[in-house]
Amino acid sequence: MTESPSVSELHHRIKTDQPHTARIWNYWLGGKDHYEVDQQAGDQIRELHPGIGDYAQADRQFLGRAVRHLVTEAGIRQFLDIGTGLPTADNTHEVAQRHAPESRIVYVDNDPIVLAHAEALLTSTPEGRTDYLDEDLRNVDTILEHARRTLDFSKPVALMLLGVVIFVEDDEEACGIVRRLMDALPSGSYLVLSHTITRQDMPDVDAAVAFWNEHGTPKLTQRTPEAVTRFFDGLELLEPGLVSCNHWRPDTDGEPSAEVAMFGGVGRKA
């Protein structure tokens, strides 16, 4: 693991007077790692779009179902989770090691708040291993170099990109980052990706994102479902494809719940 910044360095990087995505997400998930400014922004966003708090829940549950499928059905034992976010219940390593204790997970995030809580992500079964890297998604080579210390790139790896490529504004740059990461992984690897979408029948989502981009940090980029599907180019997109996160292989039968504007999918590299 790379050398961690000092407490004073972390404090300097943490902006408590401006709402931050990871902390608002934590607030919507019922966590405690946020400030009043985050709660106020989260409540204002929820006024613009009352269902937006459901996105956080849907995204977290999608993570759990996707990891469980990859471990129990696809035999995956290695995960590279970039854009980790603040630790909550059922983080990637907890879900994976619950079903396969020998699983190995490398977490990557460049948020000082997440780094300050990284120890919660480094609890592992004796058979497995977890690691954390404080790095930006754009620094692909550094991420891969560090991940190889924990993961065996001769065996399949699941790349987890949940709600993180939304922070890369340029479409070609965002697709290029995902492509470079997947190109480094062997056949049989998987991409698990979720993304906030824009669609004509969800105008309140656009208003909520516009409010966020005016007041919060970092800025978000919405994409159409068609644009998000591009991230899976060259991969076999597992059924049911790119769908609302709460519609991806739900645990319950019956009438599906209403769509959320956070879409997700899982693709396999041949």
Side-chain angles (χ1 to χ4, degrees):
M1 184 173 173
T2 55
E3 185 177 349
S4 299
S6 67
V7 173
S8 61
E9 289 172 328
L10 279 177
H11 182 74
H12 178 73
R13 288 173 55 188
I14 296 172
K15 307 297 183 184
T16 60
D17 59 345
Q18 187 175 24
H20 194 282
T21 305
R23 299 193 307 250
I24 291 180
W25 209 251
N26 177 267
Y27 169 56
W28 284 335
L29 284 171
K32 299 179 180 179
D33 298 313
H34 54 268
Y35 298 98
E36 184 176 353
V37 66
D38 305 305
Q39 183 174 337
Q40 291 174 349
D43 289 341
Q44 288 176 288
I45 292 171
R46 193 146 41 192
E47 287 181 11
L48 292 169
H49 181 47
I52 202 163
D54 297 336
Y55 296 8
Q57 297 290 344
D59 194 51
R60 174 59 49 164
Q61 292 165 5
F62 167 63
L63 179 151
R65 294 195 302 274
V67 171
R68 184 181 66 200
H69 168 79
L70 292 177
V71 173
T72 61
E73 302 295 330
I76 297 296
R77 298 293 183 268
Q78 303 188 109
F79 295 83
L80 176 55
D81 187 334
I82 306 177
T84 304
L86 282 162
T88 58
D90 281 346
N91 301 292
T92 298
H93 75 283
E94 294 172 320
V95 178
Q97 293 182 347
R98 185 179 304 144
H99 299 283
E102 70 275 19
S103 297
R104 294 183 165 221
I105 297 87
V106 173
Y107 291 108
V108 182
D109 208 305
N110 70 332
D111 186 331
I113 285 280
V114 179
L115 178 59
H117 292 81
E119 286 187 5
L121 296 169
L122 298 175
T123 57
S124 174
T125 58
E127 303 93 329
R129 185 177 171 187
T130 60
D131 196 6
Y132 182 88
L133 173 64
D134 178 34
E135 192 55 81
D136 189 282
L137 168 68
R138 295 172 177 83
N139 296 330
V140 172
D141 292 340
T142 302
I143 291 173
L144 293 173
E145 178 184 0
H146 183 95
R148 286 189 177 95
R149 302 175 190 175
T150 300
L151 308 179
D152 180 356
F153 276 28
S154 69
K155 298 177 181 178
V157 176
L159 172 64
M160 312 287 293
L161 295 174
L162 273 70
V164 63
V165 291
I166 60 176
F167 301 122
V168 182
E169 182 178 2
D170 183 80
D171 287 348
E172 294 307 316
E173 181 185 9
C175 286
I177 289 169
V178 176
R179 190 177 307 113
R180 287 175 61 197
L181 288 164
M182 288 304 300
D183 283 349
L185 305 181
S187 297
S189 292
Y190 287 83
L191 169 64
V192 182
L193 183 144
S194 66
H195 199 295
T196 304
I197 62 136
T198 180
R199 210 169 61 182
Q200 287 186 345
D201 59 341
M202 295 179 173
D204 48 348
V205 179
D206 297 344
V209 171
F211 173 86
W212 172 257
N213 284 342
E214 182 179 352
H215 300 281
T217 184
K219 308 303 181 187
L220 309 180
T221 298
Q222 290 173 279
R223 292 183 170 92
T224 64
E226 293 75 20
V228 177
T229 302
R230 282 191 59 201
F231 291 114
F232 295 94
D233 283 354
L235 305 177
E236 174 195 353
L237 194 57
L238 274 57
E239 292 293 338
L242 180 78
V243 295
S244 173
C245 280
N246 56 338
H247 290 182
W248 196 89
R249 305 192 180 191
D251 293 325
T252 57
D253 297 324
E255 192 69 23
S257 54
E259 284 185 316
V260 298
M262 177 69 74
F263 274 37
V266 179
R268 182 183 185 275
K269 182 176 180 178

